[in-house]
Amino acid sequence: MNIYQVLLKPTITEKSTLLQESGRYTFQVALTANKGLVKEAVEKNFNVTVVDVNITKLHGKLKRYGPKYKKMPDVKKAVVTLKPGDRINLVEGL
Amino acid sequence: MKITKEASSPTEITLSVEMDAADEDPYIDRSYRRTVGRLQIPGFRKGKAPRSIVENYVGRIALVQEALDFMIPETLNQALQDEELQAFVEPRVEVLELEPVSFKATVPLEPAVDFGDFYSVRLEKEPVEITDEQVDQVLERFRAESAPWEPVSRPVQFGDLLNLNVQGSMGGEEVVNDEGVDYIPQAENVLPFPGFAPYLEQMAEGERKDFTLTVPEDYPRPEYAGQDVVFQVEVLSVKAKQLPELDDEFAKGVGEGYESLEALRAHVLERITDEAQSQSDYEFQERSLAALLENATISASDLLLEREIQNLQQERERMLRNQRLDLDTYLSYVGKTEEEFREELRPAAAERLNRMLVVRKLAQEEEIAVSPEEVQEEIDSMLASSSEENAEAMRRVFSAEDTRDSIRASLLNRKVMQRLVEIVQGLEAGAGADADADAADSADEETEAESEAENDNVEPAEDAAPSETEGSEGSDEGAEPDAK
């Protein structure tokens, strides 16, 4: 898998901006990505050192359109902890 | 912050202020805090988005725009303090650039008022004289007012009360048709058409008359002007005023009743003397002020005049609103543009401004001031004259700071006017007190409007030579400088 296809977009929410203060940045990543790939991708893209990666998979909700149920897409989210002092300017990606 | 000072005229100074990012920051922070509560940014609850996010979301310029409202006045105040300038009224501000913020402020300074030879001017008060004829006239009016209408059997004369049936037609078309209307023929009565009344003269009760009346060419409604109107008139009744005898009996029936005709005469004389006295006091005061204006050389910033025009315009607008009109509608009625309207207000505004400035200067010169105790006294006397249930409401009104200010302003005005009148009579301060209190009152009404409209920015004027005309309205106080 291409390293540039791993990170999809940053997650910018109240919670994630709070986390940024302690050097943890949150991304939405490809479903097929794993911690190793995310680490590699963040280090390459932003030129920082990654200390830890936590990944969580959010299951898409079932939504009803009239009589039919549709499943919303699953999302994989990664919380990346950087070496203290490293920063990423996420807002530019908004 | 970089401030460039430039004296554009003796009464004005232009400040150019350039701010840098560090100066702007606290203001932008305030505008962020104002804005954030209104913004719904995805991923954040209302009011919870951090500044960096908001700045990106709405753009920095938008925040700066929002901040201008308070950034400029505050920076300007700071700049004025740094430069040790006193603005006479709110400066006019022009924003030049937003990134970084820079603006130009035209600061009007204290106008220079020179009284010239005024202190050597002497005016004479004209004595008030009331003749017996004037008293007689008033009594005659009382007589006419209280006279009852009595039926008379004689031909109609002017001033009688008639009851008529009237039919009038013009070219076969009916224009007037009234039965049993009351009508008082008088030479100057132009109803229903000019020239109608004389035809009725000498008619007797019960008489019918047909006549043709030609409406004058200058009649205001063109569809009638110059046309012939055929009238049929029937006089149903004729009444005339029975004037009561002018005696003690009559005096008892006037107003609350007087003992005798002599008492009534005395009362009437007293009343019209009072009126004439205060009228003449007022006129004398006006003459003094006019003399003061004539001798004074005033050099004031154009901005002051522009502000005054603005105030005047706002007052007019308020007056129009009381008649359920707005300015645009009014302007379209009279067929003027706003520019022309303002131009028309210019002389009146200049007049008012000059009066305000000389009165202000005179107050300084003569060291006239109003103490809080005097204001309280005035309020107490106003309260004393009001009824019980009003007193509570009045007290509430008077506790407000701006009401007190306006009372103070009007007291000051009154005092200055008194002093002014003393000066032109060559009297020492305090000698002619009280005589002019009544007249000064009428000049106070404008005070409130004055102070209200202080904060608006106005376009500059090319020409604003102070004019020195005589006017009938009183002068104003209350336009004290706002800047600290």
Side-chain angles (χ1 to χ4, degrees):
Chain A
M1 188 187 183
N2 189 333
I3 206 81
Y4 294 106
Q5 289 171 354
V6 172
L7 300 179
L8 300 180
K9 59 179 182 189
T11 315
I12 297 175
T13 61
E14 266 182 73
K15 192 174 181 178
S16 76
T17 34
L18 274 177
L19 282 176
Q20 278 176 24
E21 282 167 24
S22 51
R24 282 181 284 179
Y25 291 81
T26 313
F27 298 91
Q28 194 184 321
V29 297
L31 277 173
T32 52
N34 55 37
K35 289 185 177 179
L37 282 173
V38 170
K39 178 175 178 178
E40 206 180 321
V42 170
E43 287 183 342
K44 269 214 160 141
N45 266 313
F46 301 108
N47 205 14
V48 289
T49 315
V50 173
V51 178
D52 194 11
V53 177
N54 296 79
I55 282 187
T56 177
K57 204 167 147 189
L58 310 175
H59 286 273
K61 291 177 179 177
L62 278 181
K63 284 223 167 168
R64 219 175 78 155
Y65 295 94
K68 288 181 184 168
Y69 282 95
K70 289 232 164 161
K71 189 173 174 301
M72 302 311 282
D74 291 346
V75 170
K76 191 175 264 187
K77 215 170 72 174
V79 179
V80 179
T81 311
L82 303 184
K83 193 181 80 182
D86 281 1
R87 302 191 66 84
I88 298 175
N89 192 0
L90 278 187
V91 170
E92 273 169 349
L94 193 74
Chain B
M1 190 160 65
K2 227 175 75 195
I3 305 171
T4 334
K5 194 160 79 169
E6 188 190 326
S8 36
S9 82
T11 53
E12 261 177 26
I13 280 188
T14 311
L15 288 182
S16 307
V17 180
E18 270 174 57
M19 303 183 70
D20 48 46
D23 298 322
E24 287 171 20
D25 204 67
Y27 297 109
I28 294 178
D29 205 54
R30 263 162 73 182
S31 96
Y32 149 70
R33 259 178 273 138
R34 264 198 205 178
T35 322
V36 70
R38 282 185 267 125
L39 283 178
Q40 184 79 64
I41 301 176
F44 297 90
R45 289 170 291 164
K46 260 190 180 173
K48 300 289 182 183
R51 178 166 156 195
S52 60
I53 303 282
V54 171
E55 224 168 88
N56 249 278
Y57 192 74
V58 296
R60 192 183 151 84
I61 292 290
L63 283 184
V64 173
Q65 284 276 11
E66 176 95 19
L68 285 182
D69 279 351
F70 43 87
M71 172 150 61
I72 292 204
E74 284 176 27
T75 319
L76 184 57
N77 260 340
Q78 186 59 44
L80 287 175
Q81 245 169 47
D82 290 352
E83 298 289 330
E84 288 171 355
L85 293 175
Q86 269 286 340
F88 189 66
V89 294
E90 198 74 4
R92 179 163 47 92
V93 176
E94 225 178 305
V95 178
L96 301 176
E97 243 177 278
L98 289 180
E99 197 69 48
V101 176
S102 71
F103 62 89
K104 204 171 83 183
T106 314
V107 185
L109 301 177
E110 170 99 34
V113 179
D114 179 20
F115 285 154
D117 289 337
F118 171 69
Y119 278 94
S120 59
V121 171
R122 288 287 174 271
L123 295 176
E124 281 296 319
K125 259 192 180 176
E126 276 163 32
V128 177
E129 271 172 43
I130 304 294
T131 58
D132 278 354
E133 269 164 50
Q134 280 168 296
V135 179
D136 286 342
Q137 267 174 15
V138 175
L139 289 178
E140 266 324 294
R141 217 169 53 229
F142 282 153
R143 249 176 107 197
E145 274 165 15
S146 62
W149 292 106
E150 299 282 352
V152 287
S153 48
R154 56 166 170 76
V156 174
Q157 288 173 0
F158 278 163
D160 288 353
L161 176 69
L162 308 184
N163 203 281
L164 298 176
N165 285 345
V166 189
Q167 278 181 330
S169 57
M170 184 182 77
E173 206 178 308
E174 196 171 79
V175 287
V176 186
N177 185 4
D178 282 315
E179 289 196 2
V181 289
D182 288 334
Y183 187 78
I184 300 179
Q186 250 150 12
E188 63 270 22
N189 197 337
V190 295
L191 287 173
F193 292 107
F196 176 80
Y199 283 97
L200 300 178
E201 219 184 342
Q202 298 306 324
M203 281 174 76
E205 191 172 323
E207 192 185 332
R208 286 168 165 280
K209 196 171 181 182
D210 295 353
F211 56 86
T212 305
L213 175 71
T214 308
V215 180
E217 291 287 348
D218 56 1
Y219 194 68
R221 290 176 59 178
E223 64 263 43
Y224 295 125
Q227 301 285 326
D228 287 345
V229 182
V230 182
F231 279 106
Q232 288 181 312
V233 179
E234 185 181 1
V235 178
L236 300 176
S237 70
V238 182
K239 288 176 179 169
K241 279 219 161 176
Q242 286 313 106
L243 291 183
E245 283 299 312
L246 205 52
D247 53 17
D248 291 358
E249 210 46 49
F250 170 72
K252 279 181 186 135
V254 174
E256 291 136 37
Y258 293 92
E259 293 263 309
S260 63
L261 189 58
E262 270 317 300
L264 178 61
R265 278 194 80 95
H267 176 77
V268 168
L269 180 66
E270 189 187 330
R271 217 187 61 196
I272 50 186
T273 314
D274 272 1
E275 266 167 32
Q277 184 64 49
S278 64
Q279 176 67 22
S280 113
D281 282 346
Y282 177 69
E283 272 163 20
F284 185 66
Q285 188 181 310
E286 282 300 308
R287 277 199 308 161
S288 318
L289 191 58
L292 179 58
L293 277 172
E294 212 171 291
N295 281 286
T297 332
I298 301 167
S299 58
S301 158
D302 294 353
L303 253 180
L304 291 182
L305 183 62
E306 287 305 318
R307 286 282 150 75
E308 196 58 39
I309 294 178
Q310 183 83 3
N311 292 348
L312 210 54
Q313 187 181 357
Q314 276 170 353
E315 265 168 51
R316 291 288 157 88
E317 268 180 68
R318 246 199 310 273
M319 267 156 59
L320 289 172
R321 257 203 301 283
N322 287 343
Q323 301 164 25
R324 311 250 160 102
L325 271 177
D326 61 34
L327 188 63
D328 290 343
T329 333
Y330 169 74
L331 288 177
S332 71
Y333 279 155
V334 293
K336 271 184 241 158
T337 65
E338 196 172 335
E339 282 304 304
E340 285 165 350
F341 181 64
R342 291 175 68 93
E343 216 39 53
E344 252 170 51
L345 293 179
R346 184 177 290 273
E351 163 77 16
R352 248 171 62 157
L353 177 65
N354 285 342
R355 279 163 164 262
M356 195 271 289
L357 290 178
V358 291
V359 168
R360 197 184 126 81
K361 176 76 176 173
L362 193 63
Q364 280 174 3
E365 203 97 317
E366 295 290 326
E367 291 174 351
I368 299 171
V370 178
S371 65
E373 291 79 34
E374 284 172 294
V375 175
Q376 191 54 46
E377 233 167 75
E378 178 74 11
I379 290 174
D380 287 344
S381 78
M382 278 157 127
L383 282 176
S385 62
S386 74
S387 63
E388 272 299 311
E389 62 263 35
N390 271 340
E392 195 46 48
M394 300 264 285
R395 208 160 292 145
R396 213 168 315 124
V397 172
F398 285 135
S399 58
E401 201 48 44
D402 34 342
T403 323
R404 277 172 186 272
D405 277 349
S406 99
I407 291 175
R408 179 162 40 244
S410 73
L411 278 176
L412 182 68
N413 198 29
R414 196 185 302 174
K415 278 183 155 186
V416 172
M417 283 306 179
Q418 271 169 22
R419 182 70 197 117
L420 174 67
V421 169
E422 284 160 14
I423 291 172
V424 291
Q425 290 179 112
L427 299 174
E428 284 302 306
D434 289 334
D436 312 286
D438 292 338
D441 269 341
S442 62
D444 298 334
E445 283 147 35
E446 294 157 356
T447 348
E448 277 170 57
E450 274 299 297
S451 38
E452 242 170 63
E454 282 287 67
N455 301 324
D456 308 78
N457 291 344
V458 191
E459 287 304 305
E462 299 98 290
D463 164 48
S467 71
E468 292 171 4
T469 37
E470 283 179 40
S472 55
E473 281 173 313
S475 30
D476 332 78
E477 265 307 302
E480 300 294 318
D482 280 358
K484 281 150 209 143

